[in-house]
Amino acid sequence: MAGIGCVVDRPPITGENMTGLSLPTPTLHTGRLRLRPFDDADADAIFALHSSAHVLRYWDAPPWTEQVRAERFITACRQMAEEGTGARLAVDRVSDGAFIGWCSLSRWNPDYRSASLGYCFRRCGVGPRLRD
């Protein structure tokens, strides 16, 4: 089995307690994916993702009906990074640059070296498929 390669575009994080520490949101590269900070241009793609009843069928909130929700989402992503409470990253496919969703780490707990992982990806069968 081949290993997964990953390149991180920022210096390593050091220190004992990172709570409240503002850290730059990294950009991560693999052979097929790029994880990067959100920018304002992502608002339409985020809205399309979160307005899909199929994508959100197991969430505890209904699909979005207002575009302003996407703008608030991007603002919240930046606030998480500034406060040092987590990171949400947009996920793009390297082959064509298509936005396919996002992932996050939040609720840092430096004492237990733990965090919560979250993600939201577009519905399978929509757009070009990722190869295994």
Side-chain angles (χ1 to χ4, degrees), residues 38-49:
F38 283 100
D39 63 36
D40 293 336
D42 293 318
D44 288 339
I46 294 166
F47 179 72
L49 181 70

Side-chain angles (χ1 to χ4, degrees), residues 2-46:
I4 296 174
C6 181
V7 177
V8 179
D9 290 343
R10 65 163 181 68
I13 300 169
T14 59
E16 298 214 4
N17 187 343
M18 298 186 311
T19 303
L21 177 65
S22 179
L23 299 170
T25 303
T27 297
L28 307 171
H29 299 270
T30 71
R32 296 183 302 159
L33 301 174
R34 178 177 67 141
L35 284 69
R36 60 169 176 77
F38 283 100
D39 63 36
D40 293 336
D42 293 318
D44 288 339
I46 294 166

Side-chain angles (χ1 to χ4, degrees), residues 49-121:
L49 181 70
H50 282 267
S51 63
S52 167
H54 182 78
V55 170
L56 298 184
R57 69 191 179 277
Y58 301 116
W59 284 48
D60 61 354
W64 294 353
T65 58
E66 300 168 346
Q67 178 75 26
V68 70
R69 298 281 306 266
E71 295 159 13
R72 290 195 307 243
F73 180 89
I74 291 170
T75 299
C77 293
R78 291 178 179 144
Q79 185 175 356
M80 284 174 67
E82 289 170 9
E83 294 172 351
T85 58
R88 265 192 210 132
L89 302 169
V91 179
D92 296 332
R93 190 172 35 227
V94 169
S95 62
D96 61 2
F99 174 86
I100 62 170
W102 58 266
C103 62
S104 70
L105 286 175
S106 60
R107 298 187 192 119
W108 303 125
N109 187 326
D111 295 332
Y112 295 102
R113 296 185 199 174
S114 66
S116 294
L117 172 68
Y119 59 91
C120 185
F121 291 100

